[in-house]
Amino acid sequence: MYLGLGIDTGGTYTDAAIMDMSNGNVIESNKALTTYPDLIRGIKNSIEGLDPGYLKRIKFVSVSTTLATNTTLEGKGYPAGLILIGHTIPKKLASRYVISIGGGHDSDGNEIAPLEDLETIREFVRQVKNKVAAFAVSGYFGVRNPEHELKVKEVIQEITDMPVVCGHELSMSLGAYERAVTALLNAELIPVSKQFIKSVQTVMEEKKIKATLMMMKCDGSLVRIEEALQKPVESIFSGPAASLVGAAHLTCLDTCATVDVGGTSTDIAMISGGIPDISDSGARVGGWKTMVKAIRMETSALGGDSLVWIRRKTYLGPSRVIPLCLAASEFPGLLKKLEKNDAPNERIMDEIIQPTSFFIRSGINSPELLSGDLEEDERAIIEHLGTEPLSISELSERTGKHPLMFAGTLKSLIRKRHVSQIGFTPTDALHVLGEYARWDGRASFIGAKVLGKTLKKGAEDFSAQVKAEVVRKLTLELISFFAEDLKKEDIEKLLVKENFLKFRIKVPVVLVGAPVRAYLKELNEAVDADIRIPAFHEVGNAVGALVGKVIHRTEVLIRPSAAGKAEYSVFSRLGKEVFEDYGEALDYGLKLSHRLILEYMDGYGLEMENVEFDLKQNDVGSRGKNPMETRLVGVGVGTTGKLA
């Protein structure tokens, strides 16, 4: 048997699965809690639940994770410095460390302004290098000519050995703002990806697993780990992509939709004819539009660990917290604190100030993981937090401050990963209702009783209300995914009508994730669909990481050169080439597309006879007998089974 080990690290669980790669059968699986910031323990725990005899025979390891997705959704990316060349700084760009300098090119790759502000760049890098984790560089029309981006990258690397990513390295598509966002997100996620991959490699060494290591990208393809480290933004949806591929494999369906209910988010995606549906506009995450090729997906900050909080009514998310039941299993003293905890005045309640909120240090001490220097008020809070969770009232007593005075500071510390919040969640609601039992349900019941009392509900009624809200949101997201022409607010209005006709979904819907069985009955009542829950649904992501394919996409653009010149320019990731006539340019572009895919697959030991190759030519407009623009998109697909 040619055995493969799949590992997926999510916000709550780290899953592991062993598969016989020769026939696709899952042999065994295991789940363990994700241990953040020390991911090694969680990965090690998940693997140690597997048969050691199988582990000795592992030849292929593939991983996926939702850590990057969760990081972006929760706004907890590591700070990065961004240098824009030739355009102004957008107001809504999510970074404190941004400068804009002169330079840039036009659509034909010609320099429109010289790059003269090199000393400004050096000064900027010296000022912020101790406050950021990486740098991003994005130039105006950098995809047409990357020379300015590359020069700035060189200047940064003269000063620091920190990672530097350029916009042209991530996308060949136009759109200065989107490309800048993509480069910035990539830089912010480098520490997250690096930590995860290093953790996997450490455990592999400890367990003496000598195997090829790959990672799933957000388009459902696999890449070697070295490439994943360079471009972590391309793996931002690796967890959802893996669940999609895994769900199709586990149900033997080549066409289906997948609903993946995780700890932090719920992701809905579609696979057609065995190939994941890809978004035409690039991945969107946390409100940011990127240029990353990704599965077409509807994602929302709704998961088993979403915070349930009250202020005259019940709110769900978007923050992720540690469930009360899980925290109580690790800190037994939490039960008494819950029972004695005084409810804050309802007028000051928010996501932080809640009668069921507790806080604990996350244990991040390494300079490599620190998100910049702490402010004085943040240090004061950190000094009072120890190894036991503290409530809002306890923190108020120890600091001598009213909760309103430090609630914002706590939010900042949570965002910077120095503090973790404990609270009531949908997972707790399922414990109260007896539909999911893994940890200490007593804490869940007390929490539901405390929150429900404020709304004049019992613990069971309050928990049932929370579950109903989860189902409503799941239904809303599912219908929204298929009814793209309808706005979510219009769908919500339809859902509240008593005579609402159930929305029909024509393809099978596969549910994956630990708690999904608890929602099956209600989802069947809400939508008309063939809803399935396969065996090993709890580890669908780990299975998907193993059955992904090596997919490489190339893009070559052919356009007439500047006005008055009878020439054609060919743009690719290798740069710009100029030809005297269209025929020569097209011939070069076709051969280049084939060569780029051949070279990429050769790096994986895959011969072209083992690779499916597809090339699409899209011509736009006309210039005499020739097109005004020709776009060549090549796709090569190889299977992991050929990598043994």
Side-chain angles (χ1 to χ4, degrees), residues 388-402:
E388 287 288 327
L390 295 182
S391 67
I392 283 289
S393 59
E394 287 175 314
L395 276 171
S396 182
E397 290 174 4
R398 296 192 183 193
T399 61
K401 296 181 179 180
H402 189 277

Side-chain angles (χ1 to χ4, degrees), residues 2 10 18 153 190 243 258 283 289 300 317 372 465 522 525 620 634:
Y2 170 43
I18 292 179
K153 181 175 183 177
I190 286 175
S243 72
T258 299
K289 182 180 182 298
S300 61
Q465 178 190 348
E522 287 82 357
E525 293 173 350
V620 179

Side-chain angles (χ1 to χ4, degrees), residues 514-526:
V516 292
R517 287 199 182 279
Y519 302 117
L520 179 60
K521 179 185 175 187
E522 287 82 357
L523 279 175
N524 269 319
E525 293 173 350

Side-chain angles (χ1 to χ4, degrees), residues 7-8 63-65 216-218 220 237-248 260 295 539-547:
I7 301 171
D8 176 79
V63 300
S64 65
T65 180
M216 178 155 280
K217 292 168 59 177
C218 50
F237 290 150
S238 69
S243 72
L244 174 63
V245 176
D260 180 7
I295 57 174
V539 294
N541 294 23
V543 172
L546 285 170
V547 296

Side-chain angles (χ1 to χ4, degrees), residues 253 255-258 270 482 505-510 529-532:
L253 294 168
T255 298
C256 65
T258 299
M270 178 87 180
F482 286 97
I505 299 173
K506 297 180 181 179
V507 299
V509 176
V510 183
D530 174 12
I531 303 179
R532 308 183 189 186

Side-chain angles (χ1 to χ4, degrees), residues 1-6 17-28 54 57-58 60 249 543 546-547 640-641:
M1 289 188 293
Y2 170 43
L3 297 185
L5 171 64
I18 292 179
M19 177 185 290
D20 182 349
M21 302 298 290
S22 61
N23 57 25
N25 290 335
V26 180
I27 297 174
E28 66 170 349
Y54 288 131
R57 300 161 62 186
I58 297 296
F60 175 68
H249 179 80
V543 172
L546 285 170
V547 296
T640 53

Side-chain angles (χ1 to χ4, degrees), residues 101-118:
I101 60 173
H105 297 80
D106 62 19
S107 61
D108 203 40
N110 301 309
E111 186 178 74
I112 56 175
L115 186 66
E116 298 178 340
D117 298 333
L118 298 185

